[in-house]
Structures are given as C-alpha cells and as structure tokens.
Amino acid sequence: MTRSHETRPRAQRAGWRGGLLAALLLALLGTAAAQPGTVLRLAIPADPLMNPILGTDAAAVPINRFFFNALTRPDPETFEPRPDLATSWEVSEDGLTWTFELVDNATWHDGEPFTAEDVKFTYDTILDPNNNSPRRSAIAVIESVEVVDDYTVRFHLSSPLGSFPTIASYNVGIVPRHVLEGQNIAEATEFNTRHPISTGPYEIASVTPGSQYEFVANPDYFKGAPPIERVIFKVLPDVNTQVAQLLSGELDYAVVQPTNLPALQRSNRVKIQSVPYLGFEHISFNYEHPLFSDPRVRLAMIYGLDREAIIQSVMGGEAVIGVGPIPPVFPWAFDDELEPVPYDPDRARELLAEAGWTPGPDGVLQKDGERFAFEIGVDQGNPTRERTTLIAQQAYQALGMDVGVRVDEWPVYVQKLLGGEWVAHAGFWVLPPDPDLTNYYAPGQAFNTVHYDNPRVTELLEAGRATSDQAERAEIYKELQQVMYEDPPGVVLFYPQDIQAMNARLTTTPLPFREALQWVEQWRYEGQ
Amino acid sequence: MVRFLIQRIVGTVVVLLLVSIGTFVLLHTAPGGPTVMINPNLSPEDVERIRANLGLDQPLPVQYGRWLTTLLRGDLGTSLQFGASVRSLIGGRLPNTVYLGLVAFVVSAIFGILLGVVSALRPRSALDNVITAVAFAGFSLPPFWLGLTLILLFSVTLGVLPSSGIRPSDGSTGFLAVAKHFVMPVIVLGLLNLAEITRYTRSSMIEALRADFVRTARAKGLPAARVVFVHALRNSLLPVLTILGIVLTRLLGGTVVTETVFGWPGIGQLAIQAASTRDYPLMMGLTLVVAFLVIVLNLVVDLLYAVADPRVRRT
C-alpha cells in the first residue's frame, strides 16, 4: 500500500510528460484522420482482378460490382431484377428467347458509345471455353447472342430459365469490346490490374498495388454524376486493422464480424447497419452415407442443436434462426408458415432411437455394430464458424455421438468439398439474388456437396427454373421448402446479417455489401 | 577475386535451380488447388477444362519443364488469381519491401550497435540489465500483437499516425506525410531485430575491450571515446556483420506479418495472397526472387567481410 502511494506522484509526472510528448507529436505531425467529406474509403482483403469475366474472389467481386454496370441489378427491397444497362426485357412464349432493350445514352470512360455489340462481346467471351471464365457454367444455358440493333440484344437459350434477367447479370459486368477484342483475356494485364474502363459511375484514377485503388466520379455517367467525388478501396487483409481504421476515421465503410461489435459500438464516429444476407450458415450431412441416409437422423441433428444460443453467443444476436435453405430475404418465395424446428434434445433422442440408434457399451450410439462416429469439416480462419462447429460438436456428443472437428485451410477444405469427401461439413452458401437452389441440391451438381437427392425436390427445382411467372414460382418454392423441412439436407443454422460499420455521416443502400455497391451512385454523406 | 565471383555465380544458378524444383514439387503436392476454380456455378466439366487449359492435368515433370522454358525466355508466367504477369506484380511490390526493409535495417542497426556498446561498457550494471530486458521484450513480443497495440495507441487513441499503406490516400508525397507511414512498421520490425544485434555487439565488444590492443591504446593515453569507437568497435563488428547480413535478408525476404497488419504493399503480403489461393506461378516467381535476393545479399556480406578483416582475404 505504502509503496503504491509513493509511486503515484511519479506516475502522474510521467503521465504529464507522456501527454506533453503526445501533444508535441500531434503538433508536429498533424492529424492523420483529417479527410474531406466527399471521399469514401472502403476495405478489400487483397488486390482485385478488375475484370468481371475472370474475377471471383472477395476482392474482385466488390470492385467489379462497383465499377461495371450489368444488364440488371437487384431491387434494394425485394432483390428482383431492376434496369441497369437494360431498360426493359421480355421473354418469348416458349421461354427460350429473351430480348433486352438497352440504354442509348451510355458511354465508356474513353468516350466511345456503349452498344449491343459490347453486350454480345461480353457474353461470347465468357461462353468461349478457351477463356477459362468461371462464369461460364452459370450462363451456359445461352446458346447464342444476337444483336438486333444498336440498343437491342436477344439471347437464345437451350432451355427455359425463369430467373434469366437475374442470373445473366449476376457478377456479369459488361466490358468494352473496343478495348478487349483480340486480346487474351487472362493476360490483359493493363485492363485487369491497372486501367479498366466501364460505363459506370466512377472512373479509375490511380492504382497502388497492394495498397489502394482510387476512383473519381464520372461526370458523364448516364444516370447522372454521383455525389461522392472520390472512392478509395484500401487493401487491408487484416480485419482488426479494418476495425482500427474505422475507429480512427481512416476508413468509412467495412463489413465486420459480430466479435468486432463491442469495440465499434463505443465510437460515435461509427454507425452500424445490419442488413439481411443472401445466404445461410449450415452444417450439412452426406445424404448417401449410412449414418445420415435416414431423414429422422438428420432431423434429430436439428432438434439436438440450440441454434438460438449460438445466435446469441457467437453471432451477437445478428442472425435469424434458420427454417430451410431459402432465406427470408426473398419474401415472395419464403414460406413464413413453417416454424423453425425448436431445440429439443429429448425429441432428438427419440428420433435417433426410432432410426435404430441405441447407446452402446461405451456410451456411444450404435446400430448393427456400427458406432455413430463422424467428423465435421470446417474451413480455417472464420472465428464465428469455428466456434459454431465446436458448439455443435458438444451438442452432438451430448446426444451420444462420437464427433470430431476437422479444421482445414480454405483450398484444402474446398478440395474435399468438391470431391464430396465430407461426411459432415460446416459452411456458408451464398445465393444469387434468386431462390433457385439447383446448384446446391439437384443431383450431379458440383456444389451438391452432400449428394442430396430427393426426386420431388429435383422436380420442383426444375419446375422453378422453367417458369418466369413469379406467382407460380412462389408456389413451387413453398412446396420445396415443405418437402425439405421433412427431409432436410442438414441443419440450416441461421441466416446471418451483413454487419456494415460505417462513417456516421454516410448513407448507403441497405443491401448486402456487394449488392449495395451496385447502387453506389446513390450513396451520400450528410448534407450532400 | 574474379575466380571467386565466377564460382559464386555458378553456385547461384545451381542453388536457384534446386530451390525452384523443391518449391515446385512442394507447392504442387500440397493439398488443395488454385481457388480460381472455386465457384458454385462451375460444373465439374468446366473445372476439368480449366485445369487442362492451365496445364494442371499434366505430370509434374512436364509442368516443371514448361515453367522452366517460359522462365528461360525471361517470363515468370501469368498469375492465376490476378490475370496479370507475375513480373509486373512482383515489380510493383518489391520496391516497397526494400524501402521498408532498408529503413528498418538502418534503424535497428544503429540502435542495436549503440545499445550493445553501451551495455558492454558497464556489463551487468543496471543500465545493461535494462537494455537487455528491453531488447528481449522487443524480440519476444509477437509482431502481430505489437502492431495492433501500436495502431490502437497512435492511430485510434492519439490519431497521429496512419495505420496502413505506404503513403497518404490523398496522394500527397511530402516527406513528413510519407515518413509517418513508416514509423509503426519500422518500430515493429526494428524491435524484432534489435535484441540480436544488441546481444552480438555486446558480447563481441566485451571481448574486444579486454583485448591487449585496447589495453595498449588506453595505456598510450588515447581519449576513451577513440579507444571504444575506433579501436574496439571496429574489431568487434566482424561477428556483428554476419548477424546484420542475416537480419537484412530476413527483412528483404518479406516480412509477412508486419506487412499484413499494416496493409503494407510489399511482397510478404503478396506471398500470403498467393499461398492462400494456390497461385502457383506467382508463388514460384516470389520464391525465386526472394531466393535470388538472399543469395546476392550473402555474397555482399561475404565480400564486406573480406574488406573488414584482411585475414579473411588471405585465406
């Protein structure tokens, strides 16, 4: 005690000296955070490939959505396709021909006019198998693209696709024919990394690889020049650095994790906007594996997990409990009569007993001499998913299962995923702004990683794709959700929110980050 | 000397070849493939087609042969992730790592040698103990933690230093504005290397101070500063030179964690991106460039050694 009394005055003096030093430093260096209000600074995790024909990662997709216009963009409330470079579209009776009318007043950043030829060039380039475009499979339904006149383009499909205006525009920014024609698209270094041009609201101003990508407002933008003058994407791979920069005022917008919320909520410089995300977090089970082939077992896995507790403890409340694989962001397709399966471990045990699983001599469930033992695969580096998986492991151990967790780095995890090697895996599916789940739950699809194969579901998925009548599709998808409620592919844990932390004076479109960037010309600061 | 240089150049080519073979085999046998092929919309046929287009379906020796042929034409290939030439990607980043590395090197060398000398003059004194403690604390603190703590202090709380990047985002290139960006990364990298330099200087200096020629110099009545800094220090720098060489190659080889925490656009950060996406051509290019730098720096250190100590030249 005495000692602490003695040292206090000295500590105070040291504090004064420290303060003086800080003041001196401040005076010398000026404040790092002072920036004009018409600059918007966002974060991306790596250098982007600024070519929508090739870029697919977490850095490329946001920049490409921000920089390039597509034919349509998602409605901020319903996610239905709204005009972007297309003004209107119609489909033929047989659903095989889509005709898009295009804007006639758009120009490329170099002054050349935008025409239907650019649209045809973009889709032809993606469809050319030699170009290695990862977008090809998604639009492989296109048989040919026909230029009707300068501002009309017609797509001929091999089979009807009701969601075509959404799918054809999903990550497909239109690129300039006059710049890229004749080039090897994968090696167009100048366009891909330094000087892309588009019809969009911002032009590229400067590139500092690994550091920042700067854009300035396009005064000739066909929808009117955007109010924010400059946009800077900073390359910040570390999320903690992003949070620090939000707090210090060096960054104006970033998508953060629930674990970052306490630090950010204390700052009056930052506001939080939570918007529903187009996807769901899940733990899925191999449909063909003997452990999980019985739907009662998969149902038991849902009853046996306290998902509300996970949402509160891991997600900081920023998620909505899952019902099925169609998220409620599609109000027209989401079946709100279905209730989420409640947490009921006793019911889970009953279902497991009905399926023939009874406790063995070592306490682990057994059936015909086989122990209920499996591993849940999860990708490394996502703290919320890793924690969720550990909670699931404990819950399933409590049901009498022998559960392991296998954490792999991303490329390895994905290799096993695509190889269909997981008996169980935790993951996150992102959907295009459309509830079509064919990629994930139709037999034979690459991302049907759990080999889900329910004939009625397959029929409904096909029917949902074939029509463009929304009321009809709504009926189909509601039935789909009911069938999948009884025969779930796994546990839909929750629909996470996209947690956006931003400058308190900034107003954005309340959409998930990537979709919101397609409306960036409407973003503004207070007073603009 | 010419013969020595020729030997070293031939050796360099052999080492680079071995490094490239080792890296190639390790990279391609590691589980997981290039993530450019990951997309929920890709059909298995498309994945196979892309693999074939990239030549990834060929046996390893064929793939290596192809890479080497391209290299001999002076081309490091095209990055799978960035759709750009590997040479342009590395060329855009390498100078940044060199700037940061050199500044951190100079700062830690000056402070390290100075502290080492001060420690050696009063071994086991309170000052010596404090210097040793500080040096070891700097060495033991995880750079990741130290970096974030500095950001919290200087960027978030005091708001005096920018927390990332190499220059201000408004494009200004004034000396002070740019220098501010160096402060925190240099502190982290400097502290990391300070301990080694201090300890080596200290022990080598203690030895030198006890040597006969120092005693003679003192006996002749030379000023104390001249004895310490000219006679003793010059002789004690030889072992320090080796450690300085190691420190420099480490700094120029890419300081992965520091570059990541401070969003520093150097090759360390690029290597992380390349490794996490299994961007084979980029990884190969980076390994080769770093290996080359390390070899050249070692050669320079060897030559300096000969300059500093005439005995080495004779052997």
Side-chain angles (χ1 to χ4, degrees):
Chain A
M1 279 303 281
T2 333
R3 199 175 164 163
S4 73
H5 277 291
E6 276 172 7
T7 51
R8 191 169 291 162
R10 188 179 294 173
Q12 276 173 357
R13 281 201 304 276
W16 274 109
R17 278 203 296 268
L20 210 64
L21 194 72
L24 206 69
L25 265 172
L26 262 167
L28 261 175
L29 303 173
T31 51
Q35 285 285 340
T38 51
V39 182
L40 171 69
R41 291 154 305 177
L42 312 110
I44 42 170
D47 281 296
L49 198 169
M50 294 183 284
N51 186 332
I53 289 174
L54 299 171
T56 53
D57 61 84
V61 171
I63 289 232
N64 290 333
R65 294 271 189 96
F66 154 83
F67 190 69
F68 293 93
N69 291 106
L71 289 180
T72 71
R73 56 180 173 176
D75 184 277
E77 275 160 23
T78 62
F79 290 99
E80 288 166 66
R82 292 283 170 256
D84 197 4
L85 279 172
T87 51
S88 63
W89 48 91
E90 56 180 32
V91 61
S92 63
E93 278 290 312
D94 60 3
L96 291 173
T97 309
W98 285 84
T99 308
F100 286 75
E101 296 298 328
L102 307 171
V103 294
D104 58 5
N105 59 342
T107 52
W108 296 98
H109 294 154
D110 61 3
E112 290 289 317
F114 156 80
T115 69
E117 291 290 351
D118 295 307
V119 177
K120 179 175 164 56
F121 172 77
T122 301
Y123 286 91
D124 284 349
T125 309
I126 294 173
L127 290 167
D128 181 347
N130 295 319
N131 285 332
N132 290 353
S133 172
R135 312 256 173 261
R136 184 179 176 274
S137 307
I139 57 164
V141 67
I142 300 173
E143 264 187 347
S144 64
V145 188
E146 175 196 350
V147 172
V148 179
D149 61 45
D150 272 0
Y151 301 108
T152 311
V153 66
R154 190 168 288 153
F155 294 86
H156 299 281
L157 311 189
S158 55
S159 59
L161 179 60
S163 56
F164 186 72
T166 292
I167 298 303
S169 301
Y170 185 59
N171 287 330
V172 180
I174 304 298
V175 296
R177 184 181 104 151
H178 67 280
V179 175
L180 289 170
E181 193 168 36
Q183 285 197 57
N184 177 342
I185 206 87
E187 293 174 7
T189 301
E190 183 65 14
F191 188 89
N192 295 348
T193 61
R194 285 191 286 270
H195 200 263
I197 67 164
S198 77
T199 52
Y202 288 91
E203 297 175 39
I204 193 137
S206 71
V207 168
T208 314
S211 184
Q212 64 174 38
Y213 290 74
E214 186 186 352
F215 301 85
V216 291
N218 170 9
D220 304 320
Y221 186 47
F222 68 98
K223 292 175 194 166
I228 295 177
E229 287 160 20
R230 290 199 303 141
V231 177
I232 295 170
F233 283 87
K234 296 172 118 182
V235 181
L236 298 171
D238 183 54
V239 179
N240 295 301
T241 311
Q242 293 182 16
V243 171
Q245 295 215 349
L246 281 165
L247 291 171
S248 67
E250 294 168 85
L251 205 61
D252 299 301
Y253 183 105
V255 177
V256 298
Q257 293 285 319
T259 41
N260 302 129
L261 281 174
L264 290 164
Q265 277 159 343
R266 279 198 297 271
S267 167
N268 53 9
R269 207 198 279 264
V270 180
K271 69 177 174 189
I272 306 288
Q273 177 172 289
S274 255
V275 300
Y277 203 84
L278 290 157
F280 56 93
E281 220 32 84
H282 64 97
I283 296 177
S284 292
F285 308 103
N286 192 325
Y287 201 78
E288 289 172 348
H289 195 275
L291 282 181
F292 297 108
S293 54
D294 190 326
R296 286 171 296 190
V297 173
R298 293 193 303 275
L299 261 174
M301 304 308 271
I302 310 181
Y303 276 109
L305 193 54
D306 190 349
R307 292 176 291 164
E308 276 299 350
I310 294 176
I311 292 172
Q312 292 312 320
S313 65
V314 179
M315 298 300 291
E318 296 289 337
V320 177
I321 191 163
V323 182
I326 291 184
V329 288
F330 304 112
W332 59 272
F334 181 73
D335 187 349
D336 49 15
E337 284 174 13
L338 290 173
E339 288 290 327
V341 171
Y343 172 54
D344 187 347
D346 292 333
R347 177 79 189 120
R349 285 192 187 90
E350 276 172 35
L351 281 164
L352 287 165
E354 280 174 30
W357 291 95
T358 48
D362 59 352
V364 173
L365 294 174
Q366 302 204 340
K367 180 182 167 183
D368 305 331
E370 197 193 346
R371 293 170 83 247
F372 204 121
F374 67 101
E375 233 177 18
I376 307 176
V378 62
D379 59 307
Q380 188 184 35
N382 183 316
T384 50
R385 189 165 312 135
E386 283 173 25
R387 285 173 66 194
T388 303
T389 311
L390 290 176
I391 293 174
Q393 179 190 28
Q394 286 171 13
Y396 294 143
Q397 278 170 346
L399 291 181
M401 300 168 184
D402 179 1
V403 189
V405 169
R406 166 93 193 179
V407 187
D408 276 306
E409 63 158 336
W410 179 243
V412 182
Y413 170 83
V414 173
Q415 190 185 45
K416 291 185 181 174
L417 201 67
L418 294 177
E421 288 176 37
W422 293 121
V423 172
H425 73 91
F428 179 54
W429 287 144
V430 187
L431 305 180
D434 189 87
D436 177 12
L437 297 163
T438 308
N439 286 334
Y440 304 99
Y441 298 117
Q445 294 291 321
F447 270 66
N448 184 354
T449 54
V450 287
H451 309 285
Y452 188 79
D453 187 1
N454 178 317
R456 182 64 191 145
V457 167
T458 311
E459 269 174 41
L460 290 165
L461 287 171
E462 280 168 11
R465 278 169 80 85
T467 173
S468 52
D469 180 327
Q470 200 185 71
E472 206 179 314
R473 291 186 81 203
E475 283 308 309
I476 293 167
Y477 289 135
K478 280 180 184 165
E479 189 186 339
L480 177 97
Q481 286 161 86
Q482 283 153 16
V483 179
M484 292 185 84
Y485 193 83
E486 300 295 328
D487 183 22
V491 188
V492 173
L493 292 162
F494 45 77
Y495 313 112
Q497 300 279 109
D498 201 39
I499 310 171
Q500 303 160 356
M502 64 183 86
N503 187 319
R505 299 188 301 112
L506 183 67
T507 307
T508 68
T509 324
L511 277 168
F513 177 46
R514 295 170 173 197
E515 280 72 26
L517 284 173
Q518 292 182 272
W519 296 84
V520 70
E521 88 273 6
Q522 296 188 352
W523 293 26
R524 61 198 65 233
Y525 281 103
E526 218 169 79
Q528 279 193 315
Chain B
M1 198 65 169
V2 176
R3 205 180 135 182
F4 171 72
L5 272 178
I6 291 174
Q7 273 177 351
R8 290 300 292 254
I9 289 167
V10 172
T12 303
V13 173
V14 174
V15 170
L16 284 180
L17 207 64
L18 291 176
V19 165
S20 74
I21 293 175
T23 315
F24 198 88
V25 171
L26 279 177
L27 276 178
H28 285 73
T29 46
T35 46
V36 280
M37 288 178 263
I38 297 172
N39 189 306
N41 298 317
L42 270 186
S43 66
E45 298 79 47
D46 271 358
V47 173
E48 275 317 304
R49 182 176 43 77
I50 294 177
R51 275 177 63 80
N53 284 355
L54 296 174
L56 294 172
D57 57 343
Q58 302 285 322
L60 269 194
V62 175
Q63 290 189 46
Y64 180 76
R66 213 178 265 174
W67 176 82
L68 196 63
T69 322
T70 322
L71 181 73
L72 291 176
R73 286 200 301 265
D75 186 358
L76 284 169
T78 305
S79 153
L80 305 179
Q81 186 73 8
F82 298 111
S85 77
V86 169
R87 193 170 49 188
S88 76
L89 288 169
I90 297 178
R93 300 292 197 96
L94 190 60
N96 298 336
T97 296
V98 172
Y99 298 148
L100 180 62
L102 285 181
V103 174
F105 173 76
V106 169
V107 169
S108 51
I110 291 176
F111 280 94
I113 292 175
L114 213 67
L115 291 175
V117 170
V118 171
S119 273
L121 288 176
R122 301 263 184 283
R124 297 204 179 76
S125 67
L127 188 63
D128 178 29
N129 289 340
V130 169
I131 289 175
T132 307
V134 169
F136 273 98
F139 184 65
S140 321
L141 291 176
F144 181 73
W145 178 87
L146 183 62
L148 285 176
T149 307
L150 290 176
I151 289 177
L152 271 180
L153 178 65
F154 290 111
S155 303
V156 178
T157 310
L158 297 174
V160 289
L161 290 175
S163 57
S164 82
I166 189 168
R167 57 181 65 91
S169 57
D170 61 8
S172 64
T173 50
F175 175 76
L176 207 59
V178 175
K180 281 200 280 186
H181 287 259
F182 278 78
V183 177
M184 289 194 286
V186 165
I187 292 178
V188 173
L189 290 175
L191 272 180
L192 207 61
N193 296 300
L194 195 69
E196 269 173 291
I197 302 174
T198 306
R199 295 304 290 176
Y200 268 83
T201 312
R202 179 183 179 275
S203 55
S204 154
M205 192 70 185
I206 287 177
E207 209 172 294
L209 285 171
R210 285 185 193 138
D212 291 342
F213 66 91
V214 170
R215 204 171 306 136
T216 313
R218 280 203 174 119
K220 281 198 297 186
L222 289 180
R226 192 173 160 80
V227 173
V228 171
F229 287 103
V230 178
H231 292 256
L233 185 59
R234 180 167 174 195
N235 279 283
S236 61
L237 274 186
L238 209 59
V240 177
L241 206 59
T242 318
I243 198 72
L244 287 180
I246 294 172
V247 165
L248 188 61
T249 43
R250 193 191 297 154
L251 286 172
L252 297 188
T255 44
V256 172
V257 176
T258 311
E259 288 189 1
T260 305
V261 172
F262 293 106
W264 191 268
I267 54 171
Q269 200 199 68
L270 192 65
I272 287 276
Q273 290 177 18
S276 60
T277 55
R278 298 286 194 273
D279 192 336
Y280 298 139
L282 187 52
M283 267 323 274
M284 288 301 295
L286 280 165
T287 316
L288 215 61
V289 167
V290 171
F292 182 74
L293 268 179
V294 169
I295 293 171
V296 169
L297 280 172
N298 274 321
L299 180 63
V300 171
V301 171
D302 282 356
L303 293 176
L304 281 179
Y305 220 83
V307 173
D309 187 353
R311 285 169 301 180
V312 177
R313 255 175 294 178
R314 270 182 232 119
T315 51

